[in-house]
Amino acid sequence: MILKIYKLGEEILRQKCVPVEPEEINDEMRKLFEDMFETMIEANGVGLASTQVGIAKRFFVVMSDDDVKRVFINPQIIATSKELCPYDEGCLSMPGFDETIVRPAKVTVQALNEFGKPFTLEADGLLARVIQHENDHLDGIVYIDRGDPEFATKVTEKMKQRLEKAKKKEEEKAKKAKSIAAKLAAKEARKNK
């Protein structure tokens, strides 16, 4: 099932997530992970965090350049390399905006997998970047916070305009649906007289 991807400007993206409790790791949550992978792939992404689908819990999914589906529950980055690497980043919560962000080239992360089993992963390249990007989401941080403040202001303003436009469109759609429903009800009432 394709899930709604929350956009910059919606409150959930700035929330700090709470840890997942062991009893929460069940079939229902594993179904959610599959839905997240499906949503991410549909949107041409390589990672998707819980907050991006409206949940303030500490988990994210990743499928980067090696095409391996990975689930990270309660992740902790325990080591980063001194070597830094610039890369053009984008985000499914801010479609259409890219900026060069400098991050550590390698990371070591500890987390639980989709079955609640602990693992440690050393990553470099795109995988390391995606892990850092998605892990930031769990702390209410988006990639533009790590770049040029002017660019961040511009993106924030553009996304605010997009959200307002989408909200107005939804309101018009709801008003139209209500009007149609009222007309149908009136027609039905006349028919039953």
Side-chain angles (χ1 to χ4, degrees):
M1 177 175 82
I2 302 295
L3 305 170
K4 173 189 174 181
I5 297 176
Y6 286 76
K7 304 292 190 268
L8 182 67
E10 294 182 276
E11 214 175 285
I12 186 78
L13 284 184
R14 293 302 192 171
Q15 283 187 18
K16 194 168 171 62
C17 295
V18 297
V20 174
E21 297 299 327
E23 63 273 9
E24 293 178 282
I25 305 170
N26 55 27
D27 289 344
E28 189 179 327
M29 185 171 252
R30 282 185 280 280
K31 169 71 173 101
L32 172 62
F33 298 145
E34 280 310 308
D35 291 344
M36 287 175 72
F37 279 117
E38 188 180 340
T39 303
M40 178 190 81
I41 292 164
E42 175 76 19
N44 294 317
V46 290
L48 192 62
S50 57
T51 54
Q52 291 179 280
V53 294
I55 301 165
K57 292 279 188 171
R58 296 194 75 79
F59 62 84
F60 59 81
V61 301
V62 167
M63 190 170 81
S64 73
D65 49 355
D66 60 3
D67 285 338
V68 175
K69 288 181 174 180
R70 292 182 173 92
V71 173
F72 295 80
I73 301 170
N74 298 336
Q76 289 185 303
I77 294 175
I78 58 169
T80 58
S81 65
K82 284 189 171 77
E83 179 194 351
L84 300 176
C85 178
Y87 189 86
D88 269 4
E89 282 189 38
C91 182
L92 297 178
S93 292
M94 292 167 261
F97 298 101
D98 293 17
E99 184 184 16
T100 301
I101 302 294
V102 177
R103 294 188 188 266
K106 297 177 183 175
V107 296
T108 304
V109 61
Q110 287 181 336
L112 302 175
N113 69 12
E114 63 271 34
F115 299 103
K117 301 282 183 249
F119 70 93
T120 302
L121 177 71
E122 290 181 19
D124 61 6
L126 182 60
L127 181 57
R129 178 162 300 273
V130 177
I131 288 168
Q132 292 172 81
H133 177 112
E134 300 309 329
N135 197 64
D136 273 353
H137 273 298
L138 305 185
D139 293 319
I141 299 167
V142 293
Y143 82 97
I144 59 171
D145 298 340
R146 299 203 178 274
D148 175 32
E150 231 172 84
F151 180 76
T153 301
K154 179 181 142 191
V155 172
T156 302
E157 190 53 44
K158 289 272 190 204
M159 290 303 298
K160 183 179 173 189
Q161 290 168 6
R162 283 186 193 174
L163 278 177
E164 285 169 0
K165 193 175 178 180
K167 186 179 176 189
K168 194 179 264 186
K169 203 173 184 178
E170 279 300 310
E171 286 169 357
E172 286 169 9
K173 197 173 162 183
K175 191 175 174 182
K176 193 173 184 179
K178 193 175 177 181
S179 170
I180 290 169
K183 285 177 186 173
L184 289 173
K187 187 177 178 181
E188 192 64 31
R190 284 193 301 274
K191 194 169 110 180
N192 291 335
K193 278 188 177 180

